[in-house]
Amino acid sequence: DPNRVKITTMPVSGRAAEDIVQELQHFAEKEDKMWQLGKVSGTVYSNSDEHTSLMNRVYAAYSWSNPLHPGIWPKLNQCEGEVIAMTADMLHAPPIGSMTSGGTESIILAIRAHWNVYGKRRGIRHPELVCGTTAHAAVYKACDMFGIRVVSIDCNHRHDSFQLNPDRVSKGITSNTIMIYASAPSYPQGVVDPIEALSKIALRYKVGLHVDACLGGFVLPFVDDAPVFDFRNPGVTSMSADTHKYGYASKGTSIVLYRDNTLRHGQYFSYSWWTGGLYSTPTIAGSRPGALSACAWAALVSLGKDGYRERSHLIVNAARAIADGIQLVRGVKLLTPKPFMVVSFTSNEMDIYRIQDYMTKAGWNLNALQSPASVHICVTLNVVPKVDSFLRDLKMSINQVRNEGKGGRKKGTAGVYGTVGSLPAGPVDYSLRAFTDLTLEP
Ligand SMILES: Cc1ncc(COP(=O)(O)O)c(C=O)c1O
């Protein structure tokens, strides 16, 4: 919006509180409409005004708090400990873990822990991590931070159904391997990796196994036909489960869990020579927003197992209804064989990104995927009532692309991914960084 007023220097005198709140409420109300319409993939997981009000009231109660100071806010530490214990209980883990700022930080810390315990202590100087091409980008971020080589297994090799193939994982393990990374389920296609088989491999080769259940952690335990994906598999050494996704807590928390305390110590940082005093923190941050820890606790105890079960059934049923519908639509092909929340699809007949662009015109906010070119929707409680409307709009979008034929213009997502596909990685990375620059401008 070119008419937007931008602030680039600190105002000399302050503004009235009412004025500030009014401005932000005006924009928030406008911006929230998008996900409230139920046409956004993932992003906002809860759909209840009552639950939003609970989160806001709990946040307000602890808005100045910081778990770095347990002496001042002991209740918060108890809340964090209880969220860790409840999540561990649900995933059949010992109550050993920590609260982090989100899925990415949980993954970074789990990899740091394995690097310390399964890498450095064993004298490994050139550590390697084995994962599938479906692994979340956070794995690459973590490995970039710690200098770990990623051994990436193609999950679409001979149409593997986007599952990490255990035989190919075995072949990828060397004397430098510190851990295997698997998903339950993965972000792109929503496929749960074969955790039981991977667990056996981890035990055989004495390497760690992280199960990324950032999406599935608070859903799969309540779904009858979900595989055993958690610590009941003896080779699983760590897991991540996001309270801020299907845990229905405000954005900014996740739980990372470990099989034993030696591994958890591997994620901590302590420094006893600091001139500022004895220093030890469990996570990357120093100070942390305690209000968010309180929100995570409130979400878990307010919903309970019954609440999570009921919500999980709604999500899984809606995802499967979308998948069943997609299979009946000519022009698109379902890529998620057994959906839990993510449903991914492509097209053999036309450019899938052009279909996505028409879906965007119809008000949908779907996620573009690549290798292979495809799209997904991550079903949230907001999307549940919109299944029929999704399928109707999808058919309409396909017809529009079909009618346009080859002459259809490649703009929007189709244009971006069309260009990216024709460029080497260097310029694409540069453009991504330039885009990130833009997000940091006023
Ligand atoms: C499977 C999986 N892992 C990790 C993450 C990263 O989570 P966050 O965005 O909370 O850092 C996501 C996010 O969508 C995810 O789907």
Side-chain angles (χ1 to χ4, degrees), residues 4-273:
R4 195 158 42 101
V5 180
K6 294 181 186 177
I7 299 174
T8 53
T9 56
M10 182 94 70
V12 176
S13 46
R15 272 167 73 180
E18 240 351 272
D19 188 31
I20 295 168
V21 172
Q22 234 178 35
E23 176 177 334
L24 291 177
Q25 272 177 348
H26 165 77
F27 281 97
E29 265 169 37
K30 235 167 66 174
E31 290 165 359
D32 280 347
K33 286 221 170 70
M34 183 142 184
W35 62 263
Q36 282 164 349
L37 281 173
K39 291 182 158 187
V40 173
S41 170
T43 316
V44 178
Y45 294 77
S46 172
N47 67 340
S48 143
D49 291 343
E50 209 180 308
H51 191 70
T52 303
S53 156
L54 171 68
M55 290 297 105
N56 292 345
R57 280 156 59 208
V58 169
Y59 191 98
Y62 269 109
S63 51
W64 291 108
S65 65
N66 182 355
L68 191 63
H69 305 290
I72 304 178
W73 292 285
K75 174 69 180 170
L76 271 188
N77 284 83
Q78 186 181 339
C79 284
E80 286 201 351
E82 287 175 1
V83 176
I84 295 164
M86 287 186 274
T87 310
D89 172 54
M90 184 180 67
L91 298 173
H92 303 91
I96 300 171
S98 90
M99 186 175 279
T100 72
S101 62
T104 300
E105 192 186 356
S106 287
I107 291 164
I108 290 172
L109 289 172
I111 293 177
R112 170 172 154 80
H114 282 87
W115 169 213
N116 278 326
V117 176
Y118 283 76
K120 287 182 196 166
R121 286 198 198 161
R122 293 180 174 181
I124 292 175
R125 302 235 316 274
H126 304 288
E128 293 173 6
L129 174 150
V130 182
C131 66
T133 41
T134 53
H136 194 273
V139 173
Y140 293 84
K141 189 188 252 188
C143 290
D144 183 61
M145 289 166 83
F146 305 128
I148 298 170
R149 187 167 94 89
V150 181
V151 177
S152 172
I153 308 287
D154 183 0
C155 294
N156 196 21
H157 174 76
R158 294 205 203 112
H159 307 289
D160 278 339
S161 310
F162 303 101
Q163 242 196 0
L164 194 47
N165 180 309
D167 291 337
R168 303 187 79 220
V169 167
S170 291
K171 289 192 186 113
I173 292 178
T174 70
S175 54
N176 284 328
T177 305
I178 57 166
M179 66 190 291
I180 302 166
Y181 172 99
S183 312
S186 64
Y187 171 84
Q189 287 84 24
V191 170
V192 180
D193 286 326
I195 309 299
E196 200 184 325
L198 295 170
S199 156
K200 288 183 184 148
I201 294 170
L203 289 175
R204 189 182 326 137
Y205 292 99
K206 297 189 172 53
V207 297
L209 170 59
H210 179 82
V211 177
D212 172 356
C214 287
L215 280 175
F218 286 89
V219 176
L220 301 190
F222 305 105
V223 180
D224 293 338
D225 64 359
V228 175
F229 70 108
D230 56 24
F231 282 87
R232 280 170 289 178
N233 295 291
V236 172
T237 45
S238 64
M239 285 188 79
S240 45
D242 288 358
T243 33
H244 74 185
K245 292 192 176 82
Y246 293 99
Y248 304 108
S250 302
K251 270 285 177 271
T253 59
S254 162
I255 297 295
V256 57
L257 295 169
Y258 296 103
R259 184 168 288 282
D260 58 51
N261 213 22
T262 308
L263 209 41
R264 179 164 67 169
H265 280 189
Q267 80 159 52
Y268 293 172
F269 176 79
S270 56
Y271 185 58
S272 50
W273 297 105

Side-chain angles (χ1 to χ4, degrees), residues 258-426:
Y258 296 103
R259 184 168 288 282
D260 58 51
N261 213 22
T262 308
L263 209 41
R264 179 164 67 169
H265 280 189
Q267 80 159 52
Y268 293 172
F269 176 79
S270 56
Y271 185 58
S272 50
W273 297 105
W274 185 35
T275 50
L278 297 172
Y279 186 87
S280 178
T281 52
T283 61
I284 294 177
S287 293
R288 290 188 292 124
L292 295 181
S293 312
C295 286
W297 181 84
L300 264 67
V301 296
S302 77
L303 298 179
K305 285 183 179 159
D306 289 344
Y308 284 107
R309 184 168 294 108
E310 190 191 323
R311 283 161 181 73
S312 299
H313 288 172
L314 290 172
I315 299 288
V316 174
N317 288 341
R320 290 180 184 175
I322 288 180
D324 291 346
I326 287 175
Q327 280 185 302
L328 298 175
V329 179
R330 203 168 64 82
V332 282
K333 182 178 162 222
L334 182 69
L335 294 182
T336 308
K338 181 178 170 181
F340 290 100
M341 69 286 291
V342 170
V343 187
S344 165
F345 52 99
T346 186
S347 175
N348 294 334
E349 197 188 305
M350 54 192 90
D351 184 341
I352 187 68
Y353 302 130
R354 279 172 65 196
I355 298 177
Q356 177 176 4
D357 285 337
Y358 275 107
M359 288 297 274
T360 306
K361 275 195 188 155
W364 291 91
N365 192 300
L366 307 179
N367 301 108
L369 313 166
Q370 49 182 347
S371 307
S374 46
V375 166
H376 87 197
I377 179 160
C378 179
V379 175
T380 69
L381 289 176
N382 293 292
V383 176
V384 168
K386 294 286 173 183
V387 171
D388 292 340
S389 136
F390 176 88
L391 292 169
R392 231 183 1 255
D393 289 341
L394 182 62
K395 280 180 216 157
M396 189 193 68
S397 301
I398 293 169
N399 283 338
Q400 273 163 319
V401 178
R402 195 174 276 134
N403 291 341
E404 268 185 355
K406 289 216 163 28
R409 280 201 297 157
K410 284 199 172 190
K411 288 201 297 193
T413 320
V416 170
Y417 279 84
T419 314
V420 163
S422 63
L423 289 174

